[in-house]
Amino acid sequence: MYSNRQSWLLITMAAGILLNGVANAAAKPAYGPELEGFSYPWPVKQFQFESQQQPLHMAYMDLQPTKANGHTVVLLHGKNFCAATWEDTGRSLSAAGYRVVIPDQIGFCKSSKPRTYQYSFQQLAQNTHELLASLSINKAIIMGHSTGGMLAARYSLMYPADTEQLVMVNPIGLEDWKAKGVPFIGVDGWYRQALQTTDEGIRNYERKTYYAGEWQPAYEKWVQMLAGMYRGPGKEIVAWNSALLYDMIYSQPVVYELPDISVPSLLMIGERDTTAPGKNLASAEDRAKLGNYPLLAREAAKRIANAQLVLFPNYGHAPQMQAPAEFHKSLLAHLIAP
């Protein structure tokens, strides 16, 4: 039997644990499968359309500059990013006079997450082209980061007449991971991995790969944005779409078609990037050869006609977030002049 004092201590400890759990839950919100609880920096609109015999909606932001220079930039996010993570870039471009359209692709963030969808970069490019047509945008600068860089390249290959300039920021797909030792795990394997997503796992991966070992408090917002979709009801459909998208990324590298890109192109590369989806699945020997961005960047620039290469030696996978002032100064200096 416990004494009165022991019983009081046990009750106090239990209450403390309960309160800490409540506090932690409050600090780690569930944002919903379409980020319903997460606010974007500008009003979010929805492009309603039908694709693969089902109604879908594609979220986007449309920034109208105070003094328009006559050019539009379309910003395409990466796999572990959303339209909102382009906030600094959107502000810089808008202030310089560009109209800026920032969509969430189908399967991501605030857009539809269908149970069944045949994902391909061609399909996502077509969806984006239809969005721009609905906005009466016939020609644009297409700028993509990470997986968005793969999509931007595909868009330029499908719609060269509508692509004023191609900008790729640390694009992935510059190497064929399956040919370099990353084993096939299929959609089911990617799904099992996605179900294990936590903010700690996201943070550790991003610190090492995206930010070259550095961490700033401002990055935490984006960690919780992603992790918040995996908390509470709806996390299974988020994980399932993530798995379908990873299978698309793994199986559709753009590296073989780089010489076919015909539009003016700009590569902006943080050289301390080591991103290679599925790298953790490869052998130690193969893993050491993957994600070598200093080499990949230079090889890609040589294979793309009319390509300019801008290197950031001290930054990782997301130089636009790690060093926004430096990055945007360079971006504006290399964009097609108004």
Side-chain angles (χ1 to χ4, degrees), residues 145 169-170 208-212 268-275 312-320 322:
H145 168 239
V169 182
N170 282 76
K208 180 180 179 181
T209 305
Y210 292 176
Y211 306 115
M268 305 186 75
I269 306 293
E271 291 193 87
R272 294 184 66 187
D273 189 3
T274 58
T275 302
F312 299 96
N314 299 318
Y315 308 128
H317 187 61
Q320 78 279 19
Q322 192 175 5

CSV table of all heavy atoms in Angstrom, one decimal, residues 145 169-170 208-212 268-275 312-320 322:
chain,number,residue,atom,x,y,z
A,145,HIS,N,12.2,23.7,-58.2
A,145,HIS,CA,13.2,23.3,-57.3
A,145,HIS,C,13.1,21.8,-56.9
A,145,HIS,O,12.0,21.3,-56.8
A,145,HIS,CB,13.1,24.1,-56.0
A,145,HIS,CG,13.8,23.6,-54.8
A,145,HIS,ND1,13.2,23.2,-53.6
A,145,HIS,CD2,15.2,23.4,-54.6
A,145,HIS,CE1,14.2,22.8,-52.8
A,145,HIS,NE2,15.3,22.9,-53.4
A,169,VAL,N,16.5,24.8,-59.8
A,169,VAL,CA,17.3,25.0,-58.6
A,169,VAL,C,17.5,23.6,-57.9
A,169,VAL,O,16.5,23.0,-57.5
A,169,VAL,CB,16.5,25.9,-57.6
A,169,VAL,CG1,17.3,26.2,-56.3
A,169,VAL,CG2,16.1,27.2,-58.3
A,170,ASN,N,18.7,23.2,-57.8
A,170,ASN,CA,19.1,21.9,-57.3
A,170,ASN,C,18.0,20.8,-57.7
A,170,ASN,O,17.4,20.2,-56.9
A,170,ASN,CB,19.2,22.0,-55.8
A,170,ASN,CG,20.5,22.6,-55.3
A,170,ASN,OD1,20.7,23.8,-55.4
A,170,ASN,ND2,21.4,21.7,-54.9
A,208,LYS,N,20.8,17.7,-42.5
A,208,LYS,CA,22.0,17.1,-43.1
A,208,LYS,C,22.0,17.4,-44.6
A,208,LYS,O,23.1,17.7,-45.1
A,208,LYS,CB,22.0,15.6,-42.9
A,208,LYS,CG,23.2,14.9,-43.5
A,208,LYS,CD,23.1,13.4,-43.2
A,208,LYS,CE,24.3,12.7,-43.8
A,208,LYS,NZ,24.2,11.2,-43.5
A,209,THR,N,20.9,17.3,-45.3
A,209,THR,CA,20.9,17.3,-46.8
A,209,THR,C,20.5,18.6,-47.4
A,209,THR,O,21.2,19.1,-48.3
A,209,THR,CB,19.9,16.2,-47.3
A,209,THR,OG1,20.3,15.0,-46.7
A,209,THR,CG2,20.0,16.1,-48.8
A,210,TYR,N,19.5,19.3,-46.8
A,210,TYR,CA,19.0,20.5,-47.4
A,210,TYR,C,19.8,21.7,-47.0
A,210,TYR,O,20.0,22.7,-47.8
A,210,TYR,CB,17.5,20.7,-47.0
A,210,TYR,CG,16.6,19.8,-47.7
A,210,TYR,CD1,15.2,19.8,-47.3
A,210,TYR,CD2,17.0,18.8,-48.6
A,210,TYR,CE1,14.3,18.9,-47.9
A,210,TYR,CE2,16.1,17.9,-49.1
A,210,TYR,CZ,14.7,18.0,-48.8
A,210,TYR,OH,13.8,17.1,-49.3
A,211,TYR,N,20.3,21.7,-45.8
A,211,TYR,CA,21.0,22.9,-45.2
A,211,TYR,C,22.4,22.6,-44.8
A,211,TYR,O,23.0,23.4,-44.1
A,211,TYR,CB,20.2,23.4,-44.0
A,211,TYR,CG,18.7,23.6,-44.3
A,211,TYR,CD1,17.7,22.9,-43.7
A,211,TYR,CD2,18.3,24.6,-45.3
A,211,TYR,CE1,16.4,23.0,-44.1
A,211,TYR,CE2,17.0,24.8,-45.6
A,211,TYR,CZ,16.0,24.0,-45.0
A,211,TYR,OH,14.7,24.2,-45.3
A,212,ALA,N,23.0,21.6,-45.4
A,212,ALA,CA,24.5,21.3,-45.2
A,212,ALA,C,24.9,21.3,-43.8
A,212,ALA,O,26.0,21.8,-43.4
A,212,ALA,CB,25.3,22.4,-46.0
A,268,MET,N,20.8,26.6,-61.0
A,268,MET,CA,21.3,27.2,-59.8
A,268,MET,C,21.5,26.1,-58.7
A,268,MET,O,20.5,25.5,-58.3
A,268,MET,CB,20.3,28.3,-59.3
A,268,MET,CG,20.0,29.3,-60.4
A,268,MET,SD,19.0,30.7,-59.8
A,268,MET,CE,20.2,31.7,-58.8
A,269,ILE,N,22.7,25.9,-58.3
A,269,ILE,CA,23.1,24.7,-57.6
A,269,ILE,C,23.8,25.0,-56.3
A,269,ILE,O,24.9,25.6,-56.3
A,269,ILE,CB,23.9,23.7,-58.4
A,269,ILE,CG1,23.2,23.4,-59.7
A,269,ILE,CG2,24.2,22.5,-57.6
A,269,ILE,CD1,22.0,22.6,-59.7
A,270,GLY,N,23.3,24.6,-55.2
A,270,GLY,CA,24.0,24.5,-53.9
A,270,GLY,C,24.9,23.3,-53.9
A,270,GLY,O,24.4,22.2,-54.0
A,271,GLU,N,26.2,23.5,-53.9
A,271,GLU,CA,27.1,22.4,-54.1
A,271,GLU,C,27.3,21.4,-52.9
A,271,GLU,O,27.8,20.3,-53.1
A,271,GLU,CB,28.5,22.9,-54.5
A,271,GLU,CG,28.5,23.6,-55.8
A,271,GLU,CD,30.0,23.8,-56.3
A,271,GLU,OE1,30.5,22.9,-56.9
A,271,GLU,OE2,30.5,24.9,-56.0
A,272,ARG,N,26.7,21.8,-51.8
A,272,ARG,CA,26.8,20.9,-50.6
A,272,ARG,C,25.6,20.0,-50.5
A,272,ARG,O,25.4,19.2,-49.5
A,272,ARG,CB,27.1,21.7,-49.3
A,272,ARG,CG,28.4,22.4,-49.3
A,272,ARG,CD,28.7,23.1,-48.0
A,272,ARG,NE,28.8,22.2,-46.9
A,272,ARG,CZ,28.9,22.5,-45.6
A,272,ARG,NH1,28.8,23.8,-45.3
A,272,ARG,NH2,29.0,21.6,-44.7
A,273,ASP,N,24.8,20.0,-51.5
A,273,ASP,CA,23.7,19.1,-51.6
A,273,ASP,C,24.1,17.6,-51.8
A,273,ASP,O,25.1,17.4,-52.6
A,273,ASP,CB,22.8,19.5,-52.8
A,273,ASP,CG,21.4,18.8,-52.9
A,273,ASP,OD1,21.1,18.0,-52.0
A,273,ASP,OD2,20.7,19.1,-53.8
A,274,THR,N,23.4,16.7,-51.2
A,274,THR,CA,23.7,15.3,-51.4
A,274,THR,C,22.5,14.5,-51.7
A,274,THR,O,22.4,13.3,-51.5
A,274,THR,CB,24.5,14.7,-50.2
A,274,THR,OG1,23.6,14.9,-49.0
A,274,THR,CG2,25.8,15.4,-49.9
A,275,THR,N,21.4,15.1,-52.1
A,275,THR,CA,20.1,14.5,-52.3
A,275,THR,C,20.1,13.4,-53.3
A,275,THR,O,20.6,13.6,-54.4
A,275,THR,CB,19.0,15.5,-52.7
A,275,THR,OG1,19.0,16.5,-51.7
A,275,THR,CG2,17.7,14.9,-52.8
A,312,PHE,N,26.6,27.7,-55.8
A,312,PHE,CA,26.7,28.3,-54.4
A,312,PHE,C,27.4,27.2,-53.6
A,312,PHE,O,26.9,26.3,-53.1
A,312,PHE,CB,25.2,28.4,-53.8
A,312,PHE,CG,24.4,29.4,-54.6
A,312,PHE,CD1,23.5,29.0,-55.6
A,312,PHE,CD2,24.5,30.8,-54.4
A,312,PHE,CE1,22.7,29.8,-56.3
A,312,PHE,CE2,23.7,31.7,-55.1
A,312,PHE,CZ,22.8,31.2,-56.1
A,313,PRO,N,28.8,27.4,-53.5
A,313,PRO,CA,29.6,26.4,-52.8
A,313,PRO,C,29.3,26.1,-51.4
A,313,PRO,O,29.6,25.0,-50.9
A,313,PRO,CB,31.0,27.0,-53.0
A,313,PRO,CG,30.9,28.0,-54.0
A,313,PRO,CD,29.5,28.6,-54.0
A,314,ASN,N,28.7,27.0,-50.7
A,314,ASN,CA,28.5,26.8,-49.2
A,314,ASN,C,27.1,26.3,-48.8
A,314,ASN,O,26.9,26.2,-47.6
A,314,ASN,CB,28.8,28.1,-48.5
A,314,ASN,CG,30.3,28.6,-48.7
A,314,ASN,OD1,31.2,27.8,-48.7
A,314,ASN,ND2,30.4,29.9,-48.9
A,315,TYR,N,26.3,26.1,-49.8
A,315,TYR,CA,24.9,25.8,-49.4
A,315,TYR,C,24.4,24.5,-50.0
A,315,TYR,O,25.1,23.9,-50.8
A,315,TYR,CB,24.0,26.9,-50.0
A,315,TYR,CG,24.4,28.3,-49.5
A,315,TYR,CD1,24.6,29.3,-50.5
A,315,TYR,CD2,24.7,28.6,-48.2
A,315,TYR,CE1,25.0,30.6,-50.1
A,315,TYR,CE2,25.1,29.8,-47.8
A,315,TYR,CZ,25.3,30.8,-48.7
A,315,TYR,OH,25.7,32.0,-48.3
A,316,GLY,N,23.3,24.0,-49.4
A,316,GLY,CA,22.9,22.6,-49.7
A,316,GLY,C,21.7,22.6,-50.7
A,316,GLY,O,21.7,23.4,-51.7
A,317,HIS,N,20.7,21.8,-50.5
A,317,HIS,CA,19.7,21.5,-51.4
A,317,HIS,C,18.7,22.6,-51.7
A,317,HIS,O,18.1,22.7,-52.7
A,317,HIS,CB,18.9,20.2,-51.0
A,317,HIS,CG,17.9,19.7,-51.9
A,317,HIS,ND1,18.2,19.3,-53.2
A,317,HIS,CD2,16.5,19.6,-51.8
A,317,HIS,CE1,17.1,18.9,-53.8
A,317,HIS,NE2,16.1,19.1,-53.0
A,318,ALA,N,18.6,23.5,-50.7
A,318,ALA,CA,17.7,24.6,-50.8
A,318,ALA,C,18.3,26.0,-50.6
A,318,ALA,O,18.1,26.7,-49.6
A,318,ALA,CB,16.5,24.4,-49.8
A,319,PRO,N,19.2,26.4,-51.6
A,319,PRO,CA,19.9,27.7,-51.4
A,319,PRO,C,19.0,28.9,-51.3
A,319,PRO,O,19.3,29.9,-50.7
A,319,PRO,CB,20.8,27.8,-52.6
A,319,PRO,CG,20.2,26.9,-53.6
A,319,PRO,CD,19.5,25.8,-52.8
A,320,GLN,N,17.8,28.8,-51.9
A,320,GLN,CA,16.8,29.9,-51.9
A,320,GLN,C,16.2,30.1,-50.5
A,320,GLN,O,15.7,31.2,-50.1
A,320,GLN,CB,15.7,29.7,-52.9
A,320,GLN,CG,14.6,28.7,-52.5
A,320,GLN,CD,15.0,27.2,-52.7
A,320,GLN,OE1,16.1,26.9,-52.9
A,320,GLN,NE2,14.0,26.4,-52.8
A,322,GLN,N,18.2,28.8,-47.6
A,322,GLN,CA,19.3,28.9,-46.7
A,322,GLN,C,20.0,30.2,-46.8
A,322,GLN,O,20.5,30.8,-45.8
A,322,GLN,CB,20.3,27.8,-47.1
A,322,GLN,CG,21.4,27.6,-46.0
A,322,GLN,CD,22.3,26.4,-46.4
A,322,GLN,OE1,22.2,25.8,-47.4
A,322,GLN,NE2,23.2,26.1,-45.5
